[in-house]
Amino acid sequence: MEKESIYLDYYKNHYSNDIDTFMYYKGYERYLRKSLWDIIFSYNTNIRILDLGCWFWGTAYFFSAHNYKNYEGIDLSKDELDIARNNFPQYTFVHEDIFNYLERDEKKYDIIFMSMVFEHLTIDQDKKLIELVYKKLNTWGVFINYQPNADSYFNSVSSRYIDITHERLWNWNSYIQFVKSCCNISGYEVTFRNSYIGSNWFLHAVHKITKFFFEIFLLLMWYDKKSIYTKSFYSILKKVS
């Protein structure tokens, strides 16, 4: 099956019901800010940002809301790019395969962001992607990869099969093994973090308390407690030389 035929109208095919795009943007901006504020806000607003598989959604909204000037989004979905272009005319959106774009583009970037793409690719494609991304990063630039979590306490099976184009799920351990053993790169650091949970401070606190007691239950049942446990997680690959 040609995945491109599904990606072309991904918004129509993937979202069975209409959604409130603006509310989606607002919610995503909050979670991105809470999850990654210390990384993203350490850069000034003139940095160059590349968003691979940008969708229609909140990454562009996030950078726009915080006055970042040089954002570029790449995607295969025409209908999602139409939404993005209408909402963020100050930014550049390109309808192209991300591999083709990375191979022909001559620019370097301070932040390369990718959300919910890695799980759609084969092992060989993932290897090629990381190597291409590494070449496009400035020194001290970061590749932020947001993806479903195979170690999620809940929803890992659902995340695997919610989309017919998913190839596999990763956890932090398999991801770092893959980067170290398969990808031809050097001079980098990789860290991981959970996505922020809770739409406000109170619900976030409730989450933390609930998680504490749930992990006691896990230990009593002889299950492992996970450090990276949320439904999706961030890997941050920093180019240090």
Side-chain angles (χ1 to χ4, degrees), residues 33 69 79 101 141 145 153 155 163 189 205 209-210 224 232:
R33 172 167 38 86
K69 300 174 179 63
D79 59 356
Y101 186 84
N145 185 5
Y153 282 150
N155 298 112
D163 192 313
E189 298 171 352
I209 294 169
T210 305
D224 293 334
S232 302

Side-chain angles (χ1 to χ4, degrees), residues 112-140:
I112 297 179
F113 189 86
M114 188 172 74
S115 179
M116 301 302 173
V117 174
F118 208 66
E119 67 276 10
H120 294 265
L121 305 177
T122 66
I123 289 282
D124 288 340
Q125 288 175 318
D126 285 331
K127 175 180 182 293
K128 182 178 180 181
L129 176 72
I130 288 178
E131 291 173 352
L132 286 171
V133 163
Y134 183 82
K135 291 177 182 178
K136 304 304 296 180
L137 285 173
N138 287 320
T139 303
W140 305 113

